[in-house]
């Protein structure tokens, strides 16, 4: 029989993991030895565990499988909490594998190093931010526990937790037998689909709104086909930006409420039926709605449920629902008067000696994409994410709902580790948190392009509280540091320099490129300016 560590690694691969991100420690050194020597999954070590979680999260979002984060007990695992909480909020299936003391250590009578309150505090903490957990302390039950937990990760598209005591690594165990996916009850599915199609047939202005779950469950192409068949306009949410990037004919744009393109906003808010597929009803998606989501004109298929009006169908996997809708839907032509409101993305930046504004960065990137092809993107929280709304619809991983800083660069490294070449958008404040992880690119031959919005400011906070001086950051000259950590950095202050630096970055391979864009404090993207105006008027309405 194989050792439990091999059993676990093979099960991760068989359930869709493609790589492992991690940082070793004495409670996982034996496991890391097996990871390195078995080569069942490639492993990427980073410098700080928050980045391990962000990288695993983004890799899962891009390859559609499981993200895997392997960390040591206590100090390593607790460092991972925030990024796993973000993965939970954004419905990203990260498998946390945390080391732990062995059976004898647990009863030694000592307080163990890395232990917090009790030996089981780590498990207690992760129970709050994962949908399923197991402690692999018995080889007889471990394979079934692994099968159950990994199926939960895939079906719920949420993080899970496996605690691996260090004395269990070499213990023999049976291979994991994957559990069959839990499908929808066919009668309930039929009833649900007939009700949905009936509502669509009676609607005069239906619209489809999609969000992150359609990627998590791998149904983007099927939803694009369904939208074409039903002749319905489709928009993404703020969080869902970048979805259906291969279906430009289907996506009308991104719904941003009062901060968005008025034609897109009207599509959703004037609709008499809103079919929400994979949508998270978060404030970042709907807080700026002029008309709050109304159950009477809404169908919400998310989290394996379908809510129609005020009743709910349970255990409805999104893939089963989409397939059944496509099977039973009769083709409808899109009404002739419905023009595809493709949002016009800014293009044709004048490469002159003018200073750079955030929206110029979007224009320059759109022009670069036209010349060299669109790139997958990651973005951090800050004006860079709002600027991303002005970039043509390309795949994007960002913490659009959880809104935790530090995601952008490690997420880009995670995406690069899947074999893609990402464009990373990050502000100076967020870069100060996790940007240094770029120093790990050279070891793995990764060459992302990083566009750093350097306004020497926590600008997103300043727009809401301009009087506070604590938003003033120092200028760290990030481009100068790039070389010492294995990349090439260029600091640009004019639009001509920006265009030229991006061109050189695209052509440069084998090293990360960091384009440090100097921006004036107080200047934001057009999209963030509209968001702030929308939030302030919404706040006045509520106060009024
Ligand atoms: C982990 C965490 N800690 C604090 C905060 C609170 C925050 C939200 S936005 C922001 C400033 C971001 O500055 P940056 O320079 O990156 O971008 P920009 O605004 O465009 O200048 C902070 C501090 C969040 N969201 N997450
Ligand atoms: Mg900033």
């Amino acid at each position: 029989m194989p050792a439990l560590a091999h059993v676990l690694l093979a099960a991760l691969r068989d359930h869709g993991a493609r790589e492992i991100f991690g940082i070793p420690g004495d409670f996982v050194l034996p496991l890391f030895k097996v990871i390195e020597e078995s080569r069942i999954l490639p492993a990427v070590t980073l410098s700080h565990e928050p980045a391990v979680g962000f990288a695993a999260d983004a890799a899962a979002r891009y390859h559609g499988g499981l993200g895997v984060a392997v960390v040591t007990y206590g100090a390593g695992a607790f460092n991972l909490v925030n990024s796993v909480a973000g993965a939970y909020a954004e419905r990203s299936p990260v498998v946390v594998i945390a080391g732990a003391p062995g059976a004898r250590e647990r009863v030694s009578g000592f307080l163990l190093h890395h232990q917090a309150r009790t030996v089981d505090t780590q498990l207690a903490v992760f129970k709050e931010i994962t949908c399923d957990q197991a402690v692999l302390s018995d080889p007889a039950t471990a394979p079934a526990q692994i099968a159950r937990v990994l199926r939960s990760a895939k079906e719920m598209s949420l993080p899970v937790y496996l605690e691996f005591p260090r004395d269990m690594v070499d213990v023999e165990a049976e291979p994991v037998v994957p559990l069959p996916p839990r499908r929808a009850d066919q009668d309930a599915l039929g009833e649900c689909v007939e009700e949905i199609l009936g509502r669509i047939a009676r609607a005069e202005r239906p619209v489809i709104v999609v969000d992150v779950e359609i990627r998590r469950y791998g149904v983007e192409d099927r939803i694009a086909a369904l939208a074409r068949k039903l002749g319905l306009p489709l928009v993404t949410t703020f969080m869902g930006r970048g979805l259906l990037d291969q279906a430009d004919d289907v996506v009308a744009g991104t719904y941003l409420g009062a901060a968005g393109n008025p034609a897109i906003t009207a599509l959703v808010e004037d609709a008499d039926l809103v079919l929400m597929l994979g949508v998270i009803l978060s404030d970042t998606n709907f807080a700026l709605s002029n008309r709050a989501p109304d159950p009477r004109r809404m169908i919400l298929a998310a989290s394996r449920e379908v809510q129609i009006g005020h009743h709910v169908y349970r255990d409805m996997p999104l893939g089963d629902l989409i397939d059944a809708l496509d099977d039973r839907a009769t083709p409808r032509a899109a009404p002739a008067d419905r023009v595809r409101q493709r949002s016009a993305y800014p293009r044709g930046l004048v490469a002159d000696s003018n200073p750079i504004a955030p929206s110029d960065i979007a224009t320059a990137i759109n022009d670069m994409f036209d010349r060299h092809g669109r790139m997958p993107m990651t973005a951090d929280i800050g004006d860079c994410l709002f600027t991303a709304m002005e970039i043509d619809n390309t795949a994007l991983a960002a913490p659009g709902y959880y809104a935790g800083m530090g995601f952008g660069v490690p997420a880009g490294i995670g995406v690069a580790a899947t074999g893609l070449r990402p464009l990373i958008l990050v502000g100076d404040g967020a870069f100060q948190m996790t940007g240094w992880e770029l120093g790990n690119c050279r070891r793995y031959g990764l060459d992302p392009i990083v566009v750093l919005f350097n306004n020497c400011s926590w600008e997103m906070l300043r727009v809401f509280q301009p009087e506070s001086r604590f938003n003033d950051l120092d200028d760290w000259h990030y481009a100068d540091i790039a070389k010492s950590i294995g990349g090439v950095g260029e600091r640009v202050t004019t639009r001509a320099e920006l265009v030229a630096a991006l061109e050189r970055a695209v052509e440069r391979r084998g090293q990360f490129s960091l384009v440090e864009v100097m921006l004036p404090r107080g200047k934001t993207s057009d999209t963030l300016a509209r968001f702030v105006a929308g939030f302030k008027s919404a706040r006045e309405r509520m106060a009024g």
Side-chain angles (χ1 to χ4, degrees), residues 382-383 426-430 453-460 471 473:
D383 196 15
V426 61
D428 54 320
F453 293 50
N454 188 1
N455 48 20
C456 301
S457 168
W458 283 331
E459 198 58 32
M460 253 194 79
N471 289 320
L473 299 183

Side-chain angles (χ1 to χ4, degrees), residues 210-212 214-215 220 236 240-245 251 393-395:
V210 298
D211 195 354
V212 294
I214 74 166
R215 167 155 300 166
E220 288 177 87
T236 77
R241 175 65 180 207
L243 292 172
L244 295 163
D245 60 305
V251 180
N393 199 41
T394 189

Side-chain angles (χ1 to χ4, degrees), residues 85-167:
Y88 192 101
E90 307 260 346
R91 304 197 68 85
S92 184
V94 172
V95 180
V96 176
I97 298 172
R104 277 207 293 271
E105 295 170 280
R106 292 175 66 90
V107 296
S108 66
F110 292 121
L111 290 172
L112 302 174
H113 67 284
H114 291 343
Q115 174 183 334
R117 192 170 67 82
T118 74
V119 179
D120 294 320
T121 297
Q122 175 176 284
L123 171 60
V125 166
F126 277 89
K127 278 184 175 174
E128 281 301 304
I129 50 175
T130 57
C131 69
D132 202 349
Q133 311 83 23
V135 177
L136 306 180
S137 53
D138 176 353
T141 59
Q145 288 177 309
I146 293 168
R148 186 199 79 232
V149 169
L150 295 186
R151 181 174 69 171
S152 297
K154 287 168 65 83
E155 289 193 343
M156 299 313 294
S157 190
L158 288 172
V160 295
Y161 172 85
L162 290 172
E163 186 165 300
F164 204 151
R166 60 177 161 182
D167 60 353

Side-chain angles (χ1 to χ4, degrees), residues 4 37 40 43 57 99 131 181 197 199 207 238 252 294 321 327-328 358 369 499 509 522-523:
L4 184 55
E37 294 174 358
I40 293 171
D57 174 348
C131 69
L197 293 175
R199 293 283 296 262
V207 66
F238 176 64
D294 176 351
L321 178 72
D327 285 346
R328 302 185 193 204
F369 283 176
V499 173
R509 298 311 305 259
K523 181 77 178 132

Side-chain angles (χ1 to χ4, degrees), residues 67-356:
V68 182
V70 181
V71 292
T72 193
Y73 177 65
F78 293 134
N79 257 348
L80 197 62
V81 168
N82 180 54
S83 34
V84 173
Y88 192 101
E90 307 260 346
R91 304 197 68 85
S92 184
V94 172
V95 180
V96 176
I97 298 172
R104 277 207 293 271
E105 295 170 280
R106 292 175 66 90
V107 296
S108 66
F110 292 121
L111 290 172
L112 302 174
H113 67 284
H114 291 343
Q115 174 183 334
R117 192 170 67 82
T118 74
V119 179
D120 294 320
T121 297
Q122 175 176 284
L123 171 60
V125 166
F126 277 89
K127 278 184 175 174
E128 281 301 304
I129 50 175
T130 57
C131 69
D132 202 349
Q133 311 83 23
V135 177
L136 306 180
S137 53
D138 176 353
T141 59
Q145 288 177 309
I146 293 168
R148 186 199 79 232
V149 169
L150 295 186
R151 181 174 69 171
S152 297
K154 287 168 65 83
E155 289 193 343
M156 299 313 294
S157 190
L158 288 172
V160 295
Y161 172 85
L162 290 172
E163 186 165 300
F164 204 151
R166 60 177 161 182
D167 60 353
M168 293 298 293
V169 169
D170 298 322
V171 170
E172 290 189 342
E174 293 289 343
V176 170
V177 178
L179 293 173
R182 286 170 293 197
R183 310 307 298 261
D185 171 90
Q186 289 308 300
D187 289 345
L189 181 62
E191 183 182 320
C192 180
V193 164
E194 288 312 313
E195 187 172 359
I196 291 173
L197 293 175
R199 293 283 296 262
I200 292 173
R202 292 192 297 276
E204 291 174 12
R205 297 179 311 286
V207 66
I208 298 175
V209 179
V210 298
D211 195 354
V212 294
E213 277 195 12
I214 74 166
R215 167 155 300 166
R216 307 288 187 271
Y217 292 114
V219 295
E220 288 177 87
D221 295 344
R222 289 182 269 173
I223 284 179
L226 182 65
R228 292 186 190 106
K229 187 173 197 177
L230 292 171
L232 298 185
L234 179 148
V235 302
T236 77
T237 61
F238 176 64
M239 281 181 67
R241 175 65 180 207
L243 292 172
L244 295 163
D245 60 305
Q246 302 303 317
D248 282 351
D249 63 305
V250 166
V251 180
T254 297
Y255 173 69
L256 301 177
N261 176 313
I264 304 299
T265 301
L267 259 186
V268 175
E269 298 184 1
D270 297 347
D272 56 355
L273 180 67
V274 183
L275 175 56
M276 294 201 182
L277 301 176
V279 173
I280 296 177
L281 288 180
S282 68
D283 56 357
T284 47
N285 278 339
F286 296 99
L288 291 189
S289 295
N290 302 303
R291 186 180 179 194
D294 176 351
R296 291 166 300 180
R297 65 185 188 104
M298 184 176 85
I299 295 170
L300 173 61
S303 306
R304 290 174 68 87
E305 293 187 347
V306 179
Q307 178 180 339
I308 303 178
H310 291 88
H311 60 278
V312 176
Y313 292 85
R314 304 209 185 287
D315 296 325
M316 282 286 153
L318 190 57
D320 291 359
L321 178 72
I322 301 305
D323 291 345
L325 282 168
D326 191 50
D327 285 346
R328 302 185 193 204
T330 47
R332 289 169 23 133
D337 65 343
R338 176 152 301 138
V339 177
R340 287 252 173 264
Q341 278 92 356
R342 284 283 296 137
S343 305
Y345 298 108
R347 283 177 160 83
L349 183 70
V350 177
D352 55 20
S353 58
N354 281 342
I356 304 162

